Amino acid sequence: MKKTTVNDIVRMKQEARKIPVLTAYSFQVARILDSSGIPLILVGDSAGMVEAGYENTIPVTVDEMIYHTRSVVRGRRSALVVSDMPFASYQVSLVEARKNAARLVKEAGAEAVKLEGGRRISRAISSIVRMGIPVMGHIGLTPQSVHATGGYKVQGRTKADAMTILDDAKALEEAGVFSMVLECVPAALAKEITGSVSIPTIGIGAGPDCDGQVLVVNDMLGLSGPDGVARYVKKYAELESIISGAVREYAREVSEGAYPSKGHSY
């Protein structure tokens, strides 16, 4: 299978081909996504919430991202792997930003990194890009700033807020990102941004006009737990009920002595 590169992702926009993106945090899930044709796998710091049970993404560390990214890299053959830079790994200083980006590439095997924020982090993005590390941007709702934004809310509803996000998108392009995530912004704003930049936009809760879409793999597979999912999530499977049924059947057979049978014994 041909290896997907950053240039391939950019070319997909140029050729008006939509870009399907999913998150992954483990070897086996990455293997399945890759073999199913997903061209870009994002190792999101959402791992902190859906895998470790954190309340938000803020506690996630660089070491945790390295662990998950290594697992994903070992599971994929052709997909481009992008790793999130977690909170405080790039905001403190340019030196820290470069060092942590380098760790994700050198130690974990990521082929690009993702940073949240617009103009305020453009210097960090430019600095990382100059190292030869591709960067994906992320604007709109930025989960690492959840305390500052007052929660998980749609961003850019007012004209002034929409203009700020549009300016952020242009600043990210100037800083050298190869693509950007637009999270939880009105569809009309996402469409305007997509038409205003030459790089791919990847939407999540941003309507149908982005160049690509991304979902948390646990959400789209029905493994989100009892709290439900955001409005923009479409569940393509209900794995929680399937797994629960299998576990109950296993527990019953063990309790009744039906498992293991002769066929499962040496």
Side-chain angles (χ1 to χ4, degrees):
M1 297 175 69
K2 181 180 178 292
K3 182 71 184 72
T4 302
T5 68
V6 164
N7 291 338
D8 292 327
I9 298 299
V10 173
R11 194 176 302 116
M12 289 180 76
K13 175 177 178 122
Q14 297 167 348
E15 297 173 354
R17 290 187 290 144
K18 293 289 190 179
I19 307 166
V21 180
L22 285 169
T23 67
Y25 318 103
S26 66
F27 169 83
Q28 292 291 8
V29 170
R31 180 185 61 79
I32 294 169
L33 300 189
D34 185 82
S35 64
S36 301
I38 294 295
L40 193 161
I41 296 174
L42 173 63
V43 188
D45 59 0
S46 47
M49 299 176 72
V50 300
E51 296 292 323
Y54 297 152
E55 184 178 356
N56 52 51
T57 63
I58 292 173
V60 177
T61 67
V62 173
D63 286 339
E64 287 173 317
M65 290 307 304
I66 288 173
Y67 169 82
H68 286 291
T69 302
R70 279 177 176 167
S71 301
V72 167
V73 166
R74 285 193 290 264
R76 72 93 171 92
R77 297 182 63 184
S78 63
L80 181 74
V81 175
V82 180
S83 182
D84 263 340
M85 294 191 68
F87 178 70
S89 68
Y90 56 93
Q91 297 97 331
V92 176
S93 71
L94 295 183
V95 172
E96 283 289 305
R98 291 193 295 266
K99 182 183 75 173
N100 290 319
R103 288 192 68 198
L104 287 167
V105 173
K106 186 177 180 67
E107 298 178 36
E111 294 154 316
V113 296
K114 181 169 75 65
L115 284 69
E116 292 184 9
R119 286 166 294 178
R120 60 187 172 83
I121 63 157
S122 60
R123 289 182 64 226
I125 290 172
S126 297
S127 186
I128 294 169
V129 170
R130 286 196 298 271
M131 294 175 66
I133 298 175
V135 175
M136 174 183 279
H138 184 151
I139 54 177
L141 173 62
T142 49
Q144 293 176 14
S145 303
V146 65
H147 295 321
T149 58
Y152 299 98
K153 303 175 181 178
V154 175
Q155 304 295 304
R157 288 195 183 276
T158 69
K159 186 174 182 180
D161 288 345
M163 186 59 65
T164 296
I165 295 174
L166 180 59
D167 289 344
D168 280 341
K170 293 177 179 178
L172 291 185
E173 182 176 28
E174 291 174 6
V177 301
F178 76 91
S179 63
M180 66 181 76
V181 171
L182 306 179
E183 181 168 359
C184 287
V185 299
L189 174 59
K191 182 177 181 179
E192 182 178 3
I193 292 171
T194 301
S196 300
V197 297
S198 62
I199 56 175
T201 58
I202 309 297
I204 177 166
D209 295 306
C210 294
D211 297 304
Q213 300 291 330
V214 61
L215 284 175
V216 171
V217 71
N218 300 55
D219 290 345
M220 61 86 69
L221 291 178
L223 287 171
S224 302
D227 295 333
V229 294
R231 172 181 172 180
Y232 58 76
V233 173
K234 178 178 178 179
K235 290 186 180 182
Y236 288 80
E238 291 287 354
L239 293 193
E240 182 163 345
S241 61
I242 294 173
I243 293 170
S244 179
V247 170
R248 284 196 296 268
E249 183 177 359
Y250 165 78
R252 178 183 60 77
E253 290 193 359
V254 170
S255 299
E256 295 174 355
Y259 176 83
S261 64
K262 282 188 176 181
H264 298 104
S265 303
Y266 297 102

